[in-house]
Amino acid sequence: MNILLLGSGGREDALAWRLRQSPSCGQLLAVPGNPGIARWAECAEVDPCDRAAVVELARSSRTDLVVIGPEAPLVVGVADALRHAGIAVFGPDAAAAQLEGSKGFTKDLCRANGIPTASYVRAERAADAHVALAQFDIPVVIKADGLAAGKGVTVAMTRAEAEQAIDAAGDGPLVIEEFLEGEEASLFALVDGETAVPLASAQDHKRVGEGDTGPNTGGMGAYAPAPVLTAELRQRAMDEIVLPTARALAAAGTPFTGVLYAGLMLTARGPELIEYNVRFGDPECEAIMPLIEGDFAELLHAVATGRLAEIDPPRLSGEHSMTVIVAARGYPGTPAAGGAIRAIESAEQVEGVTVFHAGTAEGESGLVAKGGRVLAVTAVADTFANARARAYRAVDQIDFDDGFHRRDIGWRELEREQA
């Protein structure tokens, strides 16, 4: 197959790396790509949110499958345009992508279909949010209603912090939610209309600081699988959350096609939905790609063409993986740009390690930092502790003076494994 991949981050580097290993993958083209993706694919300067340009490129390159990495092209309807042109695409139409594009839409869908989630109030304006806040105990969760790259959520530990978060959000719509107690886990399911099958699980670290402190980021690291999401809990999440969501969207005439990422809180009552993403998570994608066996490109093509129910379910290797994000100084605020990055090759000499590029560019004298999250150092091993040791051994090989990373990724799992 000729495959077109949209995106330019660490998630897309991992997807390109995995697609390139697929027997059914012929030509692999990425837009706009990055220096890491260029190792596996030909890159072209096309805006992935430009519907007409993406369709034209897919036609001219005789593309058999388009894989959409980030959320923004999905929310603006790039998948709709491709399907209208008769091109197979892995990713939902804009109507179904509202699951991520509007947190209020998702909360209303959960309420209407009995899907377990935190109690909530939608507020269109800051003044309404301040009034609604009185209904909630502290801690409380304040969420921007639209896309926020994983950073639009505040878990307020005081009422003053909640008020401040509402004011900082401006006058856009917000969702105020009950705070759920438990441990978080991510479940990735492939969905094709009313058919849904689990793919993989992971856990990530959203806070910028060690000990899970500081502001939320797009993610500072992840590991897979998530042992806390047992087979029993995973089945409950599929039966009580993912499948009812797929059926509700199909019944509304807006069926979901692609990967549905359910952020779960494992409460005393069972799994409850925190939020949905309508694409692979980042950095969870970097952690799970090395564990998926078989022809990954054919698996995505089966979803895109309505054949998910006809093929064998996806298989995982049984190994463990961990991803450590190396970010630029200043992230998640204003990150430093242009810092030189060296010795990635030395990091990849550590057994089981692949370094995915999340925010890099080619400078005059070599590789430099471009974005806030710069590298995703991923290691695979037979146990979690061994994967963790390999990941940090590799991180320590990298020469990036402007970079920083957390040294405690996977601390809960390490404690469990050592107990």
Side-chain angles (χ1 to χ4, degrees), residues 9 27 32 55 68 106 111 116 122 126 136 194 221 233 266 269 290 305 339 344 410-411:
Q27 173 183 282
V55 169
I68 301 179
T106 297
R111 177 181 284 168
R122 296 181 69 173
F136 292 85
E194 294 192 37
L233 289 174
L266 305 181
R269 298 181 294 268
T305 54
I344 287 179
W411 62 268

Side-chain angles (χ1 to χ4, degrees), residues 251-272:
T254 56
F256 189 98
T257 298
V259 63
L260 192 54
Y261 161 5
L264 305 173
M265 185 67 77
L266 305 181
T267 74
R269 298 181 294 268
E272 299 195 36

Side-chain angles (χ1 to χ4, degrees), residues 5-40:
L5 172 66
L6 307 189
S8 61
R11 165 185 46 230
E12 288 75 39
D13 194 3
L15 287 169
W17 172 81
R18 189 63 189 81
L19 287 167
R20 184 71 277 167
Q21 298 171 53
S22 302
S24 65
C25 178
Q27 173 183 282
L28 181 57
L29 179 62
V31 296
N34 69 31
I37 295 170
R39 296 174 293 178
W40 331 112

Side-chain angles (χ1 to χ4, degrees), residues 310-405:
E310 302 169 16
I311 65 169
D312 292 336
R315 304 186 312 274
L316 300 182
S317 67
E319 294 182 295
H320 296 258
S321 68
M322 194 173 96
T323 297
V324 178
I325 292 295
V326 180
R329 175 173 40 86
Y331 178 75
T334 303
I341 306 164
R342 303 181 185 88
I344 287 179
E345 299 81 2
S346 298
E348 291 192 315
Q349 288 176 6
V350 177
E351 184 180 0
V353 167
T354 305
V355 179
F356 297 113
H357 292 226
T360 66
E362 290 291 352
E364 292 183 4
S365 57
L367 199 66
V368 297
K370 177 184 177 183
R373 292 185 294 173
V374 178
L375 300 171
V377 181
T378 299
V380 177
D382 57 341
T383 67
F384 171 77
N386 287 340
R388 189 176 193 271
R390 287 177 176 179
Y392 279 115
R393 198 178 314 138
V395 167
D396 291 340
Q397 300 297 313
I398 296 171
D399 180 2
F400 177 32
D401 289 343
D402 279 347
F404 76 95
H405 60 279

Side-chain angles (χ1 to χ4, degrees), residues 17-18 186-190 197-203 223-227 229-231 234 259 280 284-296 299-300 312-321 380-382:
W17 172 81
R18 189 63 189 81
S186 302
L187 174 62
F188 295 86
L190 299 176
V197 298
L199 175 64
S201 65
Q203 288 184 274
Y223 56 94
L229 191 63
T230 63
R234 185 183 72 175
V259 63
F280 286 106
E284 295 94 339
C285 185
E286 292 93 310
I288 67 176
M289 282 301 117
L291 305 182
I292 298 172
E293 296 186 327
D295 192 327
F296 184 62
L299 180 63
L300 300 193
D312 292 336
R315 304 186 312 274
L316 300 182
S317 67
E319 294 182 295
H320 296 258
S321 68
V380 177
D382 57 341

